[in-house]
Amino acid sequence: MTERTTLRTDLNAATRVQHDALDRELSPLAEGPHYGQFLQIQHAVRSPVESWLSVHATAPLPPNQTALIREDLRELGARPIDHVPTFEAEDPREAWGVAWTLAGSSLGNRALLHRRRKAGLRGADRFLGDEAMPHYWAELRPRIEVPMDEATHEHAIRGARRVFDIFLAVQRSATERAAA
């Protein structure tokens, strides 16, 4: 009998390529003059994803961050993107992967905040500096560091991939609009 991997291990492995692509494309926006665009992308994705989670998640919900992002955008004199995509998933078990994706991003947000501050960039950092998501991550992590049934693993991976896909699509669309 082989030992099952943890949900967290499977999520990491299954989304590595998407995660790396998103980091390459999105992180540089947070560190320079395109910070408003970075926040617009975050808002455009998190708004429908957080709405879906509020209806379908059975585990504790990640904290809502769209309000923080809206405040940061307002401080920058920017507005959220008008065309927010929809987010749909087929099974409530996908919420494990969706929550993992949002919560895990808080680790990257802390690194981005540190790099912005090191570069002398201050302000409009409610989202990046939010303490609620790292606390949620600390609660979620032990719950996903155990094996779950195969169907839950598959659905959670599907949910995580959906979040990465929507992030990448919104980021590429925003980049195209900015270039036009």
Side-chain angles (χ1 to χ4, degrees):
M1 180 176 185
T2 61
E3 189 173 322
R4 289 196 41 83
T5 58
T6 69
L7 180 57
R8 181 173 179 230
T9 301
D10 283 356
L11 287 165
N12 280 326
T15 62
R16 174 61 47 215
V17 171
Q18 289 172 298
H19 189 183
D20 290 347
L22 186 61
D23 280 351
R24 269 192 317 277
E25 294 181 28
L26 194 57
S27 294
L29 295 177
E31 299 176 43
H34 303 289
Y35 183 54
Q37 184 181 13
F38 168 83
L39 291 171
Q40 288 173 322
I41 293 164
Q42 291 287 338
H43 186 273
V45 172
R46 288 174 186 272
S47 181
V49 170
E50 288 174 355
S51 292
W52 182 86
L53 277 170
S54 71
V55 173
H56 299 284
T58 55
L61 293 173
N64 183 304
Q65 294 191 304
T66 54
L68 297 171
I69 298 168
R70 275 194 307 275
E71 289 178 43
D72 286 343
L73 285 168
R74 191 173 11 258
E75 183 177 331
L76 294 173
R79 295 171 21 95
I81 295 172
D82 289 334
H83 296 85
V84 176
T86 59
F87 181 82
E88 290 295 326
E90 298 167 7
D91 189 285
R93 291 173 288 185
E94 290 185 45
W96 285 107
V98 173
W100 169 82
T101 305
L102 295 182
S105 72
S106 68
L107 304 173
N109 287 351
R110 302 310 267 178
L112 291 172
L113 179 62
H114 176 74
R115 289 198 301 264
R116 285 183 56 76
R117 288 186 175 157
K118 189 173 180 179
L121 301 169
R122 303 247 185 257
D125 59 8
R126 292 166 194 84
F127 167 63
L128 292 180
D130 181 38
E131 293 292 333
M133 194 62 86
H135 289 297
Y136 173 77
W137 172 244
E139 293 174 19
L140 179 67
R141 189 173 170 174
R143 299 177 101 194
I144 60 172
E145 288 187 338
V146 297
M148 294 185 188
D149 64 271
E150 187 174 336
T152 299
H153 280 238
E154 290 172 8
H155 286 293
I157 289 167
R158 192 171 301 127
R161 285 181 173 158
R162 287 181 202 276
V163 176
F164 280 112
D165 285 345
I166 195 172
F167 259 114
L168 288 164
V170 170
Q171 189 279 327
R172 289 174 182 150
S173 175
T175 301
E176 289 170 6
R177 277 193 318 277

